[in-house]
């Protein structure tokens, strides 16, 4: 057990050093980095498509897609006209800073305002791997349990924003918005909370405005 813990510490330490290098690179190029995390089925890719549709006319954006297998999400994103690169982890349940570093060769970083990383669908492993991002967004949907923050505390402690997606389905579920907000804020009182529906469009303007403010603050 002690050898396993030592190995994990070395892997995380190496990742943190590389993430720090990436953060310095992104700062020098004035590129805002957003890392989107969630469990599978939260509607994260749909939210990303809506975000690109809203902001790509005014911002130069690139997307890194992370999945264990398939390039399905990258194909969807490519249809928006935004440059995208797919990382297939081949079994790993998260992206690491080294994977992001290699993916950067597919972008002209100096021309980007915003690089969005859609992480592998998982609320456990991605919480431990810094990718050099300036904003970590956790997406949770109303078809999941409102106790997700308590079950996966590391993710909600490390996130800057929690987006509650699929709020159009609230009448058909037992999901309690006030309860999930209370659970998240009990772990992270500073977490910013937004509510969206990609189907009805509710909350999307506020979400896009929040992302735009993040990009603008990155350039100040």
């Amino acid at each position: 057990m002690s050898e396993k813990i030592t190995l994990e510490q070395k892997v995380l330490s190496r990742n943190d050093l590389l993430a720090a290098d990436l953060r310095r690179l992104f700062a020098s190029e004035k590129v805002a980095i957003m890392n989107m995390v969630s469990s599978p089925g939260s509607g994260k890719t749909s939210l990303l498509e809506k975000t690109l549709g809203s902001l790509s006319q005014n911002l130069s954006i690139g997307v890194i897609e992370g999945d264990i297998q398939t390039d399905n999400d990258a194909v969807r994103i490519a249809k928006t006209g935004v440059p995208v690169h797919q990382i297939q982890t081949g079994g790993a349940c998260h992206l690491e800073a080294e994977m992001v570093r290699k993916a950067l060769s597919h972008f002209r970083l100096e021309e980007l305002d915003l690089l969005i990383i859609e992480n592998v669908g998982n609320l456990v492993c991605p919480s431990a791997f810094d990718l050099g991002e300036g904003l970590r967004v956790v997406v949770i949907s109303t078809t999941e349990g409102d106790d997700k923050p308590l079950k996966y505390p590391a993710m909600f402690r490390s996130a800057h924003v929690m987006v509650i997606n699929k709020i159009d389905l609230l009448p058909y579920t037992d999901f309690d918005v006030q309860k999930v907000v209370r659970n998240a804020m009990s772990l992270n009182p500073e977490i910013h909370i937004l509510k969206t529906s990609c189907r009805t469009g509710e909350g999307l303007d506020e979400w896009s405005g929040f992302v735009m403010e993040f990009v603008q603050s990155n350039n100040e």
Side-chain angles (χ1 to χ4, degrees):
M1 178 64 75
S2 61
E3 291 182 357
K4 180 181 179 181
I5 292 173
T6 300
L7 178 59
E8 289 176 347
Q9 289 174 336
K10 287 183 177 178
V11 169
L12 290 174
S13 177
R14 186 165 63 246
N15 184 84
D16 287 347
L17 290 173
L18 183 51
D21 288 341
L22 287 176
R23 188 167 281 110
R24 284 190 286 272
L25 172 64
F26 296 144
S28 69
E29 298 291 350
K30 296 187 179 301
V31 183
I33 311 297
M34 182 168 73
N35 179 13
M36 298 181 70
V37 296
S38 76
S39 55
S42 68
K44 179 161 45 75
T45 306
S46 295
L47 181 60
L48 179 53
E49 289 175 308
K50 295 293 185 182
T51 308
L52 298 175
S54 173
L55 297 180
S56 62
Q57 297 299 313
N58 298 311
L59 295 175
S60 178
I61 306 174
V63 175
I64 294 175
E65 281 287 343
D67 274 306
I68 293 175
Q69 291 292 343
T70 84
D71 62 352
N72 293 348
D73 289 348
V75 170
R76 288 173 58 181
I77 296 304
K79 291 179 180 176
T80 69
V82 170
V84 56
H85 177 70
Q86 177 75 51
I87 298 174
Q88 293 183 11
T89 65
C93 57
H94 59 275
L95 295 180
E96 298 181 13
E98 175 63 15
M99 298 175 186
V100 172
R101 186 190 67 78
K102 290 180 178 178
L104 295 181
S105 64
H106 297 272
F107 299 91
R108 296 178 66 86
L109 200 60
E110 69 278 10
E111 297 180 357
L112 294 181
D113 300 306
L114 172 65
L115 179 64
I116 301 174
I117 302 167
E118 182 176 359
N119 215 315
V120 178
N122 188 319
L123 285 177
V124 182
C125 304
S127 67
F129 287 85
D130 184 0
L131 303 182
E133 71 267 34
L135 188 70
R136 181 174 289 188
V137 179
V138 58
V139 182
I140 184 172
S141 80
T142 59
T143 55
E144 304 172 53
D146 45 35
D147 59 350
K148 278 287 178 69
L150 301 182
K151 288 185 174 180
Y152 305 97
M155 180 59 76
F156 289 83
R157 284 195 186 101
S158 66
H160 302 94
V161 185
M162 176 175 74
V163 176
I164 305 171
N165 197 25
K166 302 185 183 181
I167 56 171
D168 54 300
L169 297 181
L170 275 173
Y172 311 104
T173 72
D174 294 326
F175 189 92
D176 186 329
V177 172
Q178 291 184 341
K179 187 174 181 181
V180 76
V181 169
R182 188 165 59 247
N183 288 337
M185 296 196 73
S186 71
L187 298 164
N188 181 358
E190 303 299 322
I191 195 167
H192 190 83
I193 296 169
L194 294 165
K195 293 175 279 188
T196 59
S197 167
C198 295
R199 186 172 296 276
T200 67
E202 185 174 353
L204 291 179
D205 286 346
E206 185 179 1
W207 157 248
S208 295
F210 180 86
V211 176
M212 179 63 85
E213 286 183 10
F214 164 64
V215 175
Q216 292 171 339
S217 67
N218 186 71
N219 290 324
E220 290 176 351

